[in-house]
Amino acid sequence: CYIKDLQKMEGAMYPDSPLMDVRVRKALQKAINLDEVNKSFFGGKGEVMHQPHLHPSRPGWKDQWTKDFADEYGYNPEAARKLLADAGYGPGKPLQTNLHLINLPQFPGTTDLVEAVGQYWRAIGVDVKLVEMDGAERVRLNRELKFSNDIQVSGTSSVEFIGHQAYFTSVAP
């Protein structure tokens, strides 16, 4: 199930979370230089996912996602800053969020990658707090829906780094 506009979702547990704003999520995505991440962490062998959790070789793929990706979600720090400004964040009121340092077993460099993402976000004016905690504690708090403004990387056995989560649910920007 994909929720297109989280802000309009009735009964949202944390309606005031900045992550409920699509402009914020899009800004965070546009702040990350995926080509640089690919070269630095994956030796250029990675592939940018134009749709979280769905590869072009899989049923249901739409070519339009690839056509739209660069404009909608591609690396553009200036556009990211503008999106944050449009959402009400800037130098006088920076976006604050928590980014979890997680070690994914299939990619030993996960924490380095997470820290790099944090640096990309800081470069556009985001106040990023890196969160380190026991994995069992994180799972417990996720299950209890205790995180209101937290971002966590995730992975599967089929790919190394697939996206981020808010409220223990993978979300598209």
Side-chain angles (χ1 to χ4, degrees):
C1 179
Y2 171 72
I3 300 168
K4 186 172 183 171
D5 190 347
L6 289 176
Q7 285 181 308
K8 295 179 182 172
M9 188 173 94
E10 282 189 41
M13 185 171 277
Y14 300 107
D16 296 327
S17 170
L19 298 177
M20 294 295 282
D21 191 326
V22 68
R23 297 169 297 187
V24 168
R25 297 190 311 272
K26 189 179 275 193
L28 294 175
Q29 177 64 47
K30 290 182 87 55
I32 302 170
N33 186 334
L34 297 174
D35 290 332
E36 192 172 79
V37 167
N38 183 23
K39 289 175 190 164
S40 299
F41 291 95
F42 304 109
K45 296 177 183 174
E47 183 177 345
V48 173
M49 296 293 288
H50 294 152
Q51 178 66 19
H53 316 294
L54 190 59
H55 189 267
S57 65
R58 307 302 300 162
W61 179 260
K62 295 180 183 178
D63 290 333
Q64 192 65 40
W65 293 330
T66 299
K67 293 174 187 169
D68 294 343
F69 187 83
D71 287 338
E72 290 291 322
Y73 307 108
Y75 179 60
N76 187 333
E78 289 306 314
R81 284 185 197 91
K82 172 139 181 21
L83 284 162
L84 288 178
D86 291 347
Y89 300 100
K93 182 188 172 192
L95 168 68
Q96 296 177 329
T97 193
N98 302 309
L99 181 59
H100 288 243
L101 287 167
I102 297 174
N103 252 327
L104 298 177
Q106 66 272 36
F107 178 53
T110 310
T111 56
D112 292 334
L113 186 141
V114 169
E115 287 185 26
V117 167
Q119 285 303 106
Y120 283 118
W121 291 347
R122 287 183 184 102
I124 63 164
V126 177
D127 181 3
V128 178
K129 178 183 175 191
L130 295 176
V131 177
E132 202 167 5
M133 70 172 53
D134 176 74
E137 178 71 359
R138 180 179 292 107
V139 168
R140 182 185 70 77
L141 293 171
N142 275 329
R143 287 183 179 157
E144 295 174 7
L145 303 175
K146 297 294 185 185
F147 295 121
S148 64
N149 183 17
D150 293 66
I151 298 170
Q152 303 173 24
V153 298
S154 63
T156 70
S157 60
S158 62
V159 294
E160 301 299 347
F161 174 69
I162 58 173
H164 60 273
Q165 296 180 332
Y167 319 116
F168 199 45
T169 302
S170 298
V171 294

